[in-house]
Amino acid sequence: SKNDSITLYIGLLDIKPSYVRGYLGQDTFSFGPEKQGIDVFTKLDGILDIRDLNMQLMLNNSAGLDAKATFKEIGSIDKEGNTVLLTSSILDNDLEVKRAQSPGNPYVKTYDFNANNSNVDEFIENLPVAISYSLDLGVNPYGNVSNHNDFVYSNNEIKASIVLDIPMNVEPKNLSMIDTFGVDFESFAEVENLEAVNLNLIVYNGYPCTSNVEFILLDEANMPIDTLFNNENVALPGLL
């Protein structure tokens, strides 16, 4: 009848655009404190004195908007949980991250950390198994400088990465490399009349220093049950 009515509410929910363009406004995003594991030094123990070390912080922006990064903390965490914070005049100020000029043409900026402008030697000689970080990222800090031509695709990102350049000019002190691997001893049960097993350990040493080798058998709980080699001086220095 004329007294009946229908009300329709039309809208869009949970939109996930693949591309946006225009002025995207100003905002600040905080990340961390978080940590990212690394495996470069996970098998090392001891003291490693590295000379002429260089570390790069690389900022990459594939989005069409400007940003500024404020690093509040970058830390090196060793196996025992000890942390060495990276200090440098580079981190005393905001790091500018310019916009990509076009899709597929990202902005890339590299900052070099060395013994002259940072404590990067101490940072890396801590033999980190993880890197901690905390930062603020300010988007469009200068306002609408693009005249409504900011752009972002769904696969665009602003990312930071660390690149290490470690020369072989190092002085190891009581340095050890540790690894653990599984052995299926149950397979020997299928061999009849087995009285003995020979274990051959072959070591190749290309470094100009003598190495000692320990070979320890562990149970299922990773507890030592026997030592086959103990401080055996079997790896003589390699020739340069």
Side-chain angles (χ1 to χ4, degrees), residues 15-196:
I15 299 176
K16 295 182 179 179
S18 61
Y19 168 73
V20 293
R21 192 176 190 93
Y23 176 50
L24 301 182
Q26 290 180 306
D27 206 342
T28 299
F29 302 92
S30 297
F31 301 91
E34 297 182 14
K35 62 181 180 180
Q36 177 68 47
I38 58 175
D39 57 7
V40 177
F41 304 107
T42 53
K43 298 179 182 179
L44 293 181
D45 277 313
I47 300 174
L48 192 63
D49 185 9
I50 307 175
R51 300 179 179 89
D52 303 323
L53 174 66
N54 186 68
M55 185 179 78
Q56 294 180 330
L57 175 64
M58 183 179 297
L59 301 179
N60 186 301
N61 182 12
S62 57
L65 48 81
D66 297 307
K68 277 190 176 182
T70 304
F71 282 89
K72 296 182 287 186
E73 174 187 313
I74 301 178
S76 160
I77 306 175
D78 68 7
K79 292 180 180 178
E80 284 71 40
N82 301 311
T83 301
V84 174
L85 296 179
L86 180 65
T87 59
S88 172
S89 57
I90 296 175
L91 302 178
D92 291 340
N93 302 301
D94 296 337
L95 303 185
E96 188 174 31
V97 187
K98 295 182 180 180
R99 67 181 57 229
Q101 293 303 308
S102 60
N105 184 26
Y107 169 80
V108 179
K109 175 67 175 180
T110 300
Y111 295 90
D112 292 310
F113 296 83
N114 51 55
N116 296 322
N117 64 12
S118 69
N119 67 333
V120 67
D121 283 1
E122 181 184 1
F123 182 83
I124 296 301
E125 289 171 2
N126 191 41
L127 302 182
V129 297
I131 300 296
S132 64
Y133 62 91
S134 176
L135 73 145
D136 292 334
L137 186 68
V139 175
N140 277 331
Y142 310 112
N144 185 19
V145 296
S146 69
N147 192 23
H148 301 279
N149 279 307
D150 298 346
F151 67 86
V152 174
Y153 288 84
S154 59
N155 61 343
N156 288 161
E157 59 185 352
I158 300 175
K159 64 180 181 179
S161 56
I162 290 179
V163 180
L164 283 178
D165 180 13
I166 303 179
M168 291 311 298
N169 185 11
V170 299
E171 182 181 351
K173 299 177 182 179
N174 299 322
L175 189 67
S176 61
M177 299 183 65
I178 303 172
D179 199 1
T180 304
F181 57 90
V183 179
D184 183 15
F185 286 104
E186 293 182 357
S187 61
F188 293 117
E190 302 176 0
V191 181
E192 297 181 358
N193 301 321
L194 181 65
E195 296 181 357

Side-chain angles (χ1 to χ4, degrees), residues 224-236:
I225 56 177
D226 197 3
T227 300
L228 303 185
F229 301 99
N230 187 12
N231 292 324
E232 296 290 339
N233 192 14
V234 298
L236 297 178

Side-chain angles (χ1 to χ4, degrees), residues 209-231:
C209 56
T210 301
S211 300
N212 299 326
V213 177
E214 291 184 351
F215 196 97
I216 302 173
L217 296 180
L218 308 176
D219 60 15
E220 295 181 350
N222 287 329
M223 298 299 295
I225 56 177
D226 197 3
T227 300
L228 303 185
F229 301 99
N230 187 12
N231 292 324

